[in-house]
Coordinates of all heavy atoms in Angstrom, one line a residue:
M1 N -195.6 -63.1 57.1 CA -195.6 -61.7 57.5 C -194.6 -60.9 56.7 O -193.5 -61.3 56.5 CB -195.3 -61.7 59.0 CG -194.0 -61.2 59.5 SD -193.7 -61.4 61.3 CE -193.5 -63.1 61.5
Q2 N -195.1 -59.8 56.1 CA -194.3 -59.0 55.3 C -193.5 -58.0 56.1 O -193.9 -57.6 57.1 CB -195.3 -58.2 54.3 CG -196.1 -59.1 53.4 CD -195.3 -59.7 52.3 OE1 -194.4 -59.1 51.8 NE2 -195.7 -60.9 51.9
K3 N -192.3 -57.6 55.5 CA -191.5 -56.6 56.1 C -192.2 -55.3 56.4 O -192.1 -54.7 57.5 CB -190.2 -56.4 55.3 CG -189.3 -55.4 55.9 CD -188.1 -55.2 55.0 CE -187.1 -54.2 55.6 NZ -186.0 -53.8 54.8
H4 N -193.0 -54.9 55.4 CA -193.8 -53.6 55.6 C -194.7 -53.7 56.8 O -194.9 -52.8 57.6 CB -194.5 -53.3 54.3 CG -195.5 -52.1 54.5 ND1 -195.0 -50.8 54.6 CD2 -196.8 -52.1 54.7 CE1 -196.0 -50.0 54.8 NE2 -197.1 -50.7 54.8
E5 N -195.4 -54.9 57.0 CA -196.3 -55.1 58.1 C -195.5 -55.0 59.4 O -196.0 -54.4 60.4 CB -197.0 -56.4 58.0 CG -198.0 -56.6 56.9 CD -198.6 -58.0 56.9 OE1 -197.8 -58.9 56.7 OE2 -199.8 -58.1 57.1
R6 N -194.4 -55.6 59.5 CA -193.6 -55.6 60.7 C -193.2 -54.2 61.0 O -193.2 -53.7 62.2 CB -192.3 -56.5 60.5 CG -192.6 -57.9 60.5 CD -191.4 -58.8 60.6 NE -190.3 -58.3 59.8 CZ -189.9 -58.9 58.7 NH1 -190.6 -59.9 58.1 NH2 -188.8 -58.4 58.1
E7 N -192.7 -53.4 60.0 CA -192.2 -52.1 60.2 C -193.4 -51.1 60.6 O -193.2 -50.2 61.4 CB -191.5 -51.6 59.0 CG -190.1 -52.3 58.8 CD -189.4 -51.9 57.6 OE1 -190.0 -51.2 56.7 OE2 -188.2 -52.2 57.5
Q8 N -194.5 -51.3 60.0 CA -195.7 -50.5 60.2 C -196.2 -50.6 61.7 O -196.6 -49.6 62.3 CB -196.8 -50.8 59.3 CG -198.0 -49.8 59.4 CD -197.5 -48.4 59.0 OE1 -196.9 -48.2 58.0 NE2 -197.9 -47.4 59.9
L9 N -196.1 -51.8 62.2 CA -196.5 -52.0 63.6 C -195.6 -51.2 64.5 O -196.1 -50.5 65.5 CB -196.4 -53.5 64.0 CG -196.9 -53.7 65.5 CD1 -198.0 -54.8 65.5 CD2 -195.8 -54.0 66.4
L10 N -194.3 -51.1 64.2 CA -193.4 -50.3 65.0 C -193.6 -48.8 64.9 O -193.6 -48.1 65.9 CB -191.9 -50.6 64.6 CG -191.3 -52.0 65.0 CD1 -189.9 -52.0 64.6 CD2 -191.5 -52.3 66.5
V11 N -193.9 -48.4 63.7 CA -194.2 -47.0 63.4 C -195.4 -46.6 64.2 O -195.5 -45.5 64.8 CB -194.3 -46.7 61.9 CG1 -194.8 -45.3 61.7 CG2 -192.9 -46.8 61.3
D12 N -196.5 -47.4 64.1 CA -197.7 -47.1 64.8 C -197.5 -47.1 66.3 O -198.1 -46.2 67.0 CB -198.8 -48.1 64.4 CG -199.2 -48.0 62.9 OD1 -198.9 -47.0 62.3 OD2 -199.9 -49.0 62.5
L13 N -196.8 -48.0 66.8 CA -196.5 -48.1 68.2 C -195.7 -46.9 68.7 O -196.0 -46.3 69.7 CB -195.8 -49.4 68.6 CG -195.5 -49.6 70.1 CD1 -196.8 -49.5 70.9 CD2 -194.8 -50.9 70.3
Y14 N -194.7 -46.5 67.9 CA -193.9 -45.3 68.2 C -194.8 -44.1 68.3 O -194.7 -43.3 69.2 CB -192.8 -45.1 67.1 CG -192.0 -43.9 67.4 CD1 -190.8 -44.0 68.1 CD2 -192.3 -42.7 66.9 CE1 -190.0 -42.9 68.4 CE2 -191.5 -41.6 67.1 CZ -190.3 -41.7 67.8 OH -189.5 -40.6 68.1
E15 N -195.7 -43.9 67.3 CA -196.6 -42.7 67.3 C -197.5 -42.7 68.5 O -197.7 -41.7 69.1 CB -197.5 -42.7 66.0 CG -196.7 -42.4 64.7 CD -196.1 -41.0 64.8 OE1 -196.7 -40.1 65.2 OE2 -194.9 -40.9 64.3
H16 N -198.0 -43.9 68.9 CA -198.9 -44.0 70.0 C -198.1 -43.8 71.4 O -198.5 -43.0 72.2 CB -199.5 -45.4 70.1 CG -200.5 -45.6 71.2 ND1 -201.7 -45.1 71.2 CD2 -200.4 -46.3 72.3 CE1 -202.4 -45.5 72.3 NE2 -201.6 -46.2 73.0
Q17 N -197.0 -44.4 71.5 CA -196.2 -44.4 72.7 C -195.4 -43.1 72.9 O -195.4 -42.5 74.0 CB -195.2 -45.6 72.8 CG -194.5 -45.7 74.1 CD -193.6 -46.9 74.1 OE1 -193.9 -47.9 73.5 NE2 -192.5 -46.9 74.8
I18 N -194.7 -42.6 71.9 CA -193.8 -41.5 72.0 C -194.5 -40.2 71.6 O -194.6 -39.2 72.4 CB -192.6 -41.7 71.2 CG1 -191.9 -43.0 71.6 CG2 -191.6 -40.5 71.3 CD1 -191.5 -43.1 73.1
S19 N -195.1 -40.1 70.4 CA -195.6 -38.9 69.9 C -196.9 -38.5 70.7 O -197.1 -37.3 70.9 CB -196.0 -39.0 68.4 OG -194.8 -39.2 67.7
Q20 N -197.7 -39.5 71.1 CA -199.0 -39.2 71.8 C -198.8 -39.3 73.3 O -199.8 -39.0 74.0 CB -200.1 -40.1 71.3 CG -200.4 -39.9 69.8 CD -201.5 -40.8 69.3 OE1 -202.2 -41.5 70.1 NE2 -201.6 -40.9 68.0
G21 N -197.7 -39.8 73.8 CA -197.4 -39.8 75.2 C -198.0 -40.9 76.0 O -198.2 -40.9 77.2
H22 N -198.4 -42.0 75.3 CA -198.9 -43.2 76.1 C -197.7 -44.1 76.5 O -197.4 -45.0 75.8 CB -199.9 -44.0 75.2 CG -201.1 -43.2 74.7 ND1 -202.2 -43.1 75.5 CD2 -201.3 -42.6 73.6 CE1 -203.1 -42.3 74.9 NE2 -202.6 -42.0 73.7
I23 N -197.2 -43.8 77.7 CA -195.9 -44.4 78.1 C -196.1 -45.9 78.3 O -195.1 -46.6 78.3 CB -195.4 -43.7 79.4 CG1 -196.3 -43.8 80.5 CG2 -195.0 -42.3 79.1 CD1 -195.8 -43.4 81.8
N24 N -197.3 -46.4 78.5 CA -197.5 -47.8 78.7 C -197.5 -48.6 77.4 O -197.7 -49.8 77.4 CB -198.7 -48.1 79.5 CG -198.6 -47.6 80.9 OD1 -197.5 -47.6 81.5 ND2 -199.7 -47.1 81.5
G25 N -197.3 -47.9 76.3 CA -197.3 -48.6 75.0 C -198.7 -48.8 74.4 O -199.6 -48.0 74.6
G26 N -198.9 -49.9 73.7 CA -200.1 -50.3 73.1 C -200.5 -51.7 73.2 O -199.9 -52.4 74.1
G27 N -201.4 -52.2 72.5 CA -201.8 -53.6 72.6 C -202.6 -54.0 71.4 O -203.0 -53.3 70.5
L28 N -202.9 -55.3 71.5 CA -203.8 -56.0 70.5 C -204.9 -56.7 71.3 O -204.7 -57.3 72.3 CB -203.0 -57.1 69.8 CG -201.8 -56.6 68.9 CD1 -201.1 -57.9 68.3 CD2 -202.3 -55.8 67.7
K29 N -206.1 -56.6 70.7 CA -207.2 -57.4 71.3 C -207.8 -58.2 70.1 O -208.0 -57.7 69.0 CB -208.2 -56.4 71.8 CG -209.4 -57.0 72.5 CD -210.3 -56.0 73.1 CE -211.4 -56.7 73.9 NZ -212.3 -55.7 74.5
K30 N -208.0 -59.5 70.5 CA -208.6 -60.4 69.5 C -210.0 -59.9 69.0 O -210.8 -59.6 69.8 CB -208.7 -61.8 70.0 CG -209.0 -62.8 69.0 CD -208.9 -64.2 69.6 CE -209.2 -65.3 68.5 NZ -209.1 -66.6 69.1
D31 N -210.1 -59.9 67.7 CA -211.4 -59.5 67.1 C -211.9 -60.8 66.4 O -211.3 -61.3 65.4 CB -211.2 -58.4 66.1 CG -212.4 -58.0 65.4 OD1 -213.5 -58.5 65.7 OD2 -212.3 -57.1 64.5
N32 N -213.0 -61.3 66.9 CA -213.5 -62.6 66.4 C -214.0 -62.5 64.9 O -214.1 -63.5 64.2 CB -214.7 -63.1 67.2 CG -214.2 -63.6 68.6 OD1 -213.1 -64.1 68.7 ND2 -215.0 -63.4 69.6
S33 N -214.2 -61.3 64.4 CA -214.5 -61.1 63.0 C -213.3 -61.2 62.1 O -213.5 -61.4 60.9 CB -215.3 -59.8 62.8 OG -214.4 -58.7 63.0
N34 N -212.1 -61.1 62.6 CA -210.9 -61.2 61.8 C -209.8 -61.8 62.7 O -208.8 -61.1 62.9 CB -210.5 -59.8 61.3 CG -209.4 -59.9 60.2 OD1 -208.9 -61.0 59.9 ND2 -209.1 -58.8 59.7
P35 N -209.9 -63.1 63.0 CA -208.9 -63.7 63.9 C -207.5 -63.9 63.2 O -206.5 -63.9 63.8 CB -209.5 -65.1 64.2 CG -210.5 -65.3 63.1 CD -211.0 -64.0 62.7
E36 N -207.5 -63.9 61.8 CA -206.2 -64.0 61.1 C -205.3 -62.8 61.3 O -204.1 -62.9 61.5 CB -206.4 -64.3 59.6 CG -207.1 -65.6 59.3 CD -208.6 -65.6 59.4 OE1 -209.2 -64.4 59.4 OE2 -209.2 -66.6 59.6
D37 N -206.0 -61.6 61.4 CA -205.2 -60.4 61.6 C -204.6 -60.4 63.0 O -203.4 -60.0 63.1 CB -206.2 -59.2 61.5 CG -205.4 -57.9 61.6 OD1 -204.5 -57.7 60.8 OD2 -205.9 -57.0 62.4
Y38 N -205.3 -60.9 64.0 CA -204.7 -61.0 65.3 C -203.5 -61.9 65.4 O -202.5 -61.6 66.0 CB -205.8 -61.4 66.3 CG -205.3 -61.6 67.7 CD1 -205.1 -60.6 68.6 CD2 -205.1 -62.9 68.2 CE1 -204.6 -60.7 69.9 CE2 -204.7 -63.1 69.5 CZ -204.4 -62.0 70.3 OH -204.0 -62.2 71.6
I39 N -203.7 -63.1 64.7 CA -202.6 -64.1 64.7 C -201.4 -63.5 64.0 O -200.2 -63.7 64.5 CB -203.1 -65.4 64.0 CG1 -204.1 -66.0 64.8 CG2 -201.9 -66.3 63.7 CD1 -204.9 -67.1 64.1
T40 N -201.6 -62.8 62.9 CA -200.4 -62.2 62.2 C -199.7 -61.1 63.0 O -198.5 -61.1 63.2 CB -200.9 -61.5 60.9 OG1 -201.5 -62.5 60.0 CG2 -199.8 -60.9 60.1
K41 N -200.5 -60.2 63.6 CA -199.9 -59.2 64.5 C -199.2 -59.8 65.7 O -198.2 -59.3 66.1 CB -201.0 -58.2 64.8 CG -201.4 -57.3 63.7 CD -202.4 -56.2 64.0 CE -202.6 -55.4 62.8 NZ -203.7 -54.5 63.0
R42 N -199.8 -60.8 66.3 CA -199.2 -61.5 67.4 C -197.8 -62.1 67.0 O -196.9 -62.0 67.8 CB -200.1 -62.6 67.9 CG -199.7 -63.1 69.2 CD -200.8 -64.1 69.7 NE -200.4 -64.8 70.8 CZ -200.5 -64.4 72.1 NH1 -201.1 -63.3 72.4 NH2 -200.0 -65.2 73.1
A43 N -197.7 -62.6 65.8 CA -196.5 -63.1 65.3 C -195.4 -62.0 65.1 O -194.3 -62.2 65.4 CB -196.7 -63.9 64.0
I44 N -195.9 -60.9 64.6 CA -195.1 -59.7 64.5 C -194.5 -59.2 65.8 O -193.3 -58.9 66.0 CB -195.8 -58.6 63.7 CG1 -196.1 -59.0 62.3 CG2 -195.0 -57.3 63.7 CD1 -197.0 -58.1 61.5
V45 N -195.4 -59.2 66.8 CA -195.0 -58.8 68.2 C -193.9 -59.7 68.7 O -192.9 -59.3 69.2 CB -196.2 -58.7 69.1 CG1 -195.7 -58.6 70.6 CG2 -197.1 -57.5 68.8
K46 N -194.1 -61.0 68.5 CA -193.1 -62.0 68.9 C -191.8 -61.8 68.2 O -190.7 -61.9 68.8 CB -193.7 -63.4 68.7 CG -192.7 -64.5 69.1 CD -193.3 -65.9 68.9 CE -192.4 -67.0 69.2 NZ -192.1 -67.3 70.5
F47 N -191.8 -61.6 66.9 CA -190.6 -61.3 66.1 C -189.8 -60.2 66.7 O -188.6 -60.3 67.0 CB -191.0 -61.0 64.7 CG -189.8 -60.6 63.8 CD1 -188.9 -61.5 63.3 CD2 -189.6 -59.2 63.6 CE1 -187.9 -61.1 62.5 CE2 -188.5 -58.8 62.8 CZ -187.6 -59.7 62.3
W48 N -190.5 -59.0 67.0 CA -189.8 -57.8 67.5 C -189.4 -58.1 68.9 O -188.4 -57.5 69.4 CB -190.7 -56.6 67.3 CG -190.8 -56.1 65.9 CD1 -192.0 -55.9 65.2 CD2 -189.8 -55.7 65.1 NE1 -191.7 -55.5 64.0 CE2 -190.3 -55.3 63.8 CE3 -188.4 -55.6 65.2 CZ2 -189.6 -54.9 62.8 CZ3 -187.6 -55.2 64.1 CH2 -188.2 -54.8 62.9
E49 N -190.1 -58.8 69.7 CA -189.7 -59.1 71.1 C -188.4 -59.9 71.1 O -187.5 -59.6 71.9 CB -190.8 -59.9 71.8 CG -190.5 -60.2 73.2 CD -191.6 -61.0 73.9 OE1 -192.2 -61.9 73.2 OE2 -191.7 -60.9 75.1
E50 N -188.3 -60.9 70.2 CA -187.1 -61.7 70.1 C -185.9 -60.8 69.6 O -184.8 -61.1 70.0 CB -187.3 -62.8 69.1 CG -188.2 -63.9 69.6 CD -188.6 -64.9 68.6 OE1 -188.2 -64.8 67.4 OE2 -189.2 -65.9 69.0
Q51 N -186.1 -59.7 68.9 CA -185.1 -58.8 68.5 C -184.7 -57.8 69.6 O -183.8 -57.0 69.4 CB -185.5 -58.0 67.3 CG -185.9 -58.9 66.1 CD -184.8 -59.8 65.6 OE1 -183.6 -59.4 65.5 NE2 -185.1 -61.1 65.4
G52 N -185.5 -57.7 70.7 CA -185.3 -56.8 71.8 C -185.9 -55.4 71.5 O -185.5 -54.4 72.2
V53 N -186.8 -55.3 70.5 CA -187.4 -54.0 70.1 C -188.6 -53.7 70.9 O -188.9 -52.6 71.2 CB -187.6 -54.0 68.6 CG1 -188.3 -52.8 68.2 CG2 -186.3 -54.2 67.9
I54 N -189.4 -54.8 71.2 CA -190.7 -54.7 72.0 C -190.6 -55.5 73.2 O -189.9 -56.6 73.2 CB -191.8 -55.2 71.1 CG1 -192.2 -54.2 70.0 CG2 -193.1 -55.5 71.9 CD1 -193.3 -54.6 69.1
E55 N -191.2 -55.0 74.3 CA -191.3 -55.7 75.5 C -192.8 -56.0 75.8 O -193.6 -55.0 75.8 CB -190.7 -54.9 76.6 CG -190.9 -55.5 78.0 CD -190.4 -54.6 79.1 OE1 -189.8 -53.6 78.8 OE2 -190.8 -54.8 80.3
K56 N -193.2 -57.2 76.1 CA -194.6 -57.5 76.5 C -194.8 -57.0 77.9 O -193.9 -57.2 78.7 CB -194.9 -59.0 76.4 CG -195.0 -59.6 75.1 CD -195.4 -61.0 75.2 CE -195.2 -61.7 73.9 NZ -195.4 -63.2 74.0
T57 N -195.9 -56.3 78.1 CA -196.2 -55.8 79.5 C -197.3 -56.6 80.1 O -197.5 -56.6 81.3 CB -196.5 -54.3 79.5 OG1 -197.6 -54.1 78.6 CG2 -195.2 -53.5 79.0
A58 N -198.2 -57.2 79.3 CA -199.3 -58.0 79.8 C -199.7 -59.0 78.7 O -199.7 -58.6 77.5 CB -200.4 -57.2 80.3
E59 N -200.2 -60.1 79.1 CA -200.7 -61.1 78.1 C -201.7 -62.0 78.8 O -201.6 -62.4 79.9 CB -199.6 -61.9 77.6 CG -199.9 -62.8 76.5 CD -198.7 -63.5 75.9 OE1 -197.6 -63.5 76.4 OE2 -198.9 -64.1 74.8
A60 N -202.8 -62.2 78.1 CA -203.8 -63.2 78.5 C -204.5 -63.7 77.2 O -204.2 -63.2 76.1 CB -204.8 -62.5 79.4
I61 N -205.5 -64.6 77.4 CA -206.2 -65.1 76.2 C -207.0 -63.9 75.6 O -207.8 -63.3 76.2 CB -207.2 -66.2 76.7 CG1 -206.4 -67.4 77.2 CG2 -208.0 -66.6 75.5 CD1 -207.2 -68.5 77.8
G62 N -206.7 -63.7 74.3 CA -207.4 -62.7 73.6 C -206.8 -61.3 73.6 O -207.3 -60.4 72.9
F63 N -205.8 -61.0 74.4 CA -205.1 -59.7 74.3 C -203.7 -59.8 74.7 O -203.2 -60.7 75.3 CB -205.8 -58.7 75.1 CG -205.5 -58.7 76.6 CD1 -204.5 -57.9 77.1 CD2 -206.2 -59.4 77.4 CE1 -204.1 -57.9 78.4 CE2 -205.9 -59.4 78.8 CZ -204.9 -58.7 79.3
I64 N -202.9 -58.8 74.2 CA -201.5 -58.7 74.5 C -201.2 -57.2 74.6 O -201.6 -56.4 73.7 CB -200.6 -59.4 73.5 CG1 -199.1 -59.3 73.9 CG2 -200.9 -59.0 72.1 CD1 -198.3 -60.2 73.1
N65 N -200.5 -56.7 75.6 CA -200.0 -55.4 75.7 C -198.5 -55.4 75.6 O -197.8 -56.3 76.0 CB -200.4 -54.7 77.0 CG -201.9 -54.4 77.1 OD1 -202.6 -54.5 76.0 ND2 -202.4 -54.1 78.2
F66 N -198.0 -54.3 75.0 CA -196.5 -54.3 74.7 C -196.1 -52.8 74.6 O -196.9 -51.9 74.3 CB -196.1 -55.1 73.5 CG -197.0 -54.8 72.3 CD1 -196.7 -53.8 71.4 CD2 -198.1 -55.6 72.1 CE1 -197.5 -53.5 70.3 CE2 -198.9 -55.3 71.0 CZ -198.6 -54.3 70.1
K67 N -194.8 -52.6 74.7 CA -194.2 -51.3 74.5 C -192.9 -51.4 73.8 O -192.2 -52.4 73.9 CB -194.2 -50.5 75.8 CG -193.2 -51.1 76.8 CD -193.1 -50.2 78.1 CE -192.1 -50.7 79.0 NZ -192.0 -49.9 80.2
L68 N -192.4 -50.3 73.2 CA -191.1 -50.2 72.7 C -190.1 -50.2 73.8 O -190.3 -49.5 74.8 CB -190.9 -49.0 71.8 CG -191.7 -49.0 70.5 CD1 -191.6 -47.6 69.9 CD2 -191.1 -50.0 69.5
T69 N -189.0 -50.9 73.7 CA -187.9 -50.8 74.6 C -187.1 -49.5 74.2 O -187.3 -48.9 73.2 CB -187.0 -52.0 74.5 OG1 -186.4 -52.1 73.2 CG2 -187.7 -53.3 74.8
A70 N -186.1 -49.2 75.0 CA -185.2 -48.0 74.7 C -184.5 -48.3 73.3 O -184.5 -47.4 72.5 CB -184.2 -47.8 75.8
Y71 N -184.1 -49.5 73.1 CA -183.5 -49.9 71.9 C -184.5 -49.8 70.7 O -184.2 -49.3 69.6 CB -183.0 -51.4 71.9 CG -182.5 -51.9 70.6 CD1 -181.4 -51.4 70.0 CD2 -183.3 -52.9 69.9 CE1 -181.0 -51.9 68.7 CE2 -182.9 -53.4 68.7 CZ -181.8 -52.9 68.1 OH -181.4 -53.3 66.9
G72 N -185.8 -50.2 71.0 CA -186.8 -50.1 70.0 C -187.1 -48.6 69.6 O -187.3 -48.4 68.4
I73 N -187.1 -47.7 70.5 CA -187.3 -46.3 70.2 C -186.2 -45.8 69.3 O -186.4 -45.2 68.3 CB -187.4 -45.5 71.5 CG1 -188.7 -45.9 72.3 CG2 -187.4 -44.0 71.2 CD1 -188.7 -45.3 73.7
E74 N -185.0 -46.2 69.7 CA -183.8 -45.8 68.8 C -183.9 -46.4 67.5 O -183.6 -45.7 66.5 CB -182.5 -46.3 69.5 CG -181.6 -45.2 70.0 CD -180.4 -45.8 70.6 OE1 -179.5 -46.4 69.9 OE2 -180.3 -45.7 71.9
Y75 N -184.3 -47.7 67.4 CA -184.4 -48.4 66.1 C -185.4 -47.7 65.2 O -185.1 -47.4 64.0 CB -184.8 -49.8 66.4 CG -185.0 -50.6 65.1 CD1 -183.9 -51.3 64.5 CD2 -186.2 -50.7 64.4 CE1 -184.0 -52.0 63.3 CE2 -186.4 -51.4 63.3 CZ -185.3 -52.0 62.7 OH -185.4 -52.8 61.5
V76 N -186.5 -47.3 65.7 CA -187.5 -46.6 64.9 C -187.0 -45.3 64.4 O -187.1 -44.9 63.3 CB -188.9 -46.5 65.7 CG1 -189.8 -45.6 64.9 CG2 -189.5 -47.8 65.9
E77 N -186.4 -44.5 65.3 CA -185.9 -43.2 65.0 C -184.8 -43.2 64.0 O -184.7 -42.4 63.1 CB -185.5 -42.5 66.3 CG -186.6 -42.1 67.2 CD -186.2 -41.5 68.5 OE1 -185.0 -41.6 68.9 OE2 -187.1 -40.9 69.2
Q78 N -184.0 -44.2 64.0 CA -182.8 -44.3 63.1 C -183.2 -45.0 61.8 O -182.6 -44.7 60.8 CB -181.7 -45.0 63.8 CG -181.0 -44.3 64.9 CD -179.9 -45.0 65.6 OE1 -179.6 -46.2 65.2 NE2 -179.3 -44.4 66.6
N79 N -184.1 -45.9 61.8 CA -184.4 -46.7 60.6 C -185.7 -46.5 59.9 O -185.9 -46.8 58.7 CB -184.2 -48.2 60.9 CG -182.9 -48.5 61.4 OD1 -181.9 -48.3 60.7 ND2 -182.8 -49.0 62.6
L80 N -186.7 -46.0 60.7 CA -188.1 -45.9 60.1 C -188.7 -44.6 60.1 O -189.8 -44.4 59.5 CB -189.0 -46.9 60.9 CG -188.5 -48.3 60.9 CD1 -189.5 -49.2 61.8 CD2 -188.4 -48.9 59.6
K81 N -188.0 -43.6 60.6 CA -188.5 -42.2 60.6 C -187.9 -41.4 59.6 O -186.8 -41.5 59.2 CB -188.3 -41.5 62.0 CG -189.3 -42.0 63.0 CD -190.6 -41.6 62.7 CE -191.7 -41.4 63.7 NZ -192.9 -41.0 63.2

């Protein structure tokens, strides 16, 4: 997983959650036509969750929902905007 991919997920989530007002955050849904993409993005979510930047809000087979934490919002605003 590339640094740019990790950062882009945060920027996209910030735009969705903060700029567009989706307070519940965003999510990933497994796409059987490209399972490698889902696996990569899931690993990125786990990375940011371990850093305290993202919080999982729901998880089941084939999907995961998550949102930026208060620290995550600050992190994006200070480092990626």
Side-chain angles (χ1 to χ4, degrees):
M1 105 185 74
Q2 299 288 328
K3 180 179 179 183
H4 173 73
E5 289 177 299
R6 292 192 315 259
E7 291 176 346
Q8 189 61 50
L9 184 128
L10 291 183
V11 170
D12 292 346
L13 181 57
Y14 180 90
E15 289 299 317
H16 183 75
Q17 183 176 332
I18 303 303
S19 298
Q20 297 176 15
H22 298 279
I23 60 171
N24 293 327
L28 297 174
K29 187 174 182 181
K30 188 174 184 179
D31 178 3
N32 289 330
S33 67
N34 192 357
E36 294 82 19
D37 186 53
Y38 176 76
I39 292 167
T40 299
K41 287 182 178 173
R42 192 174 169 88
I44 293 170
V45 169
K46 182 177 171 79
F47 173 82
W48 288 121
E49 182 183 30
E50 290 173 352
Q51 304 299 315
V53 174
I54 285 177
E55 173 189 348
K56 286 184 197 172
T57 57
E59 183 174 14
I61 296 173
F63 81 91
I64 181 171
N65 288 347
F66 48 89
K67 66 180 183 175
L68 289 169
T69 62
Y71 171 70
I73 293 167
E74 245 180 71
Y75 179 87
V76 172
E77 291 174 346
Q78 292 178 0
N79 298 300
L80 303 176
K81 285 291 206 181

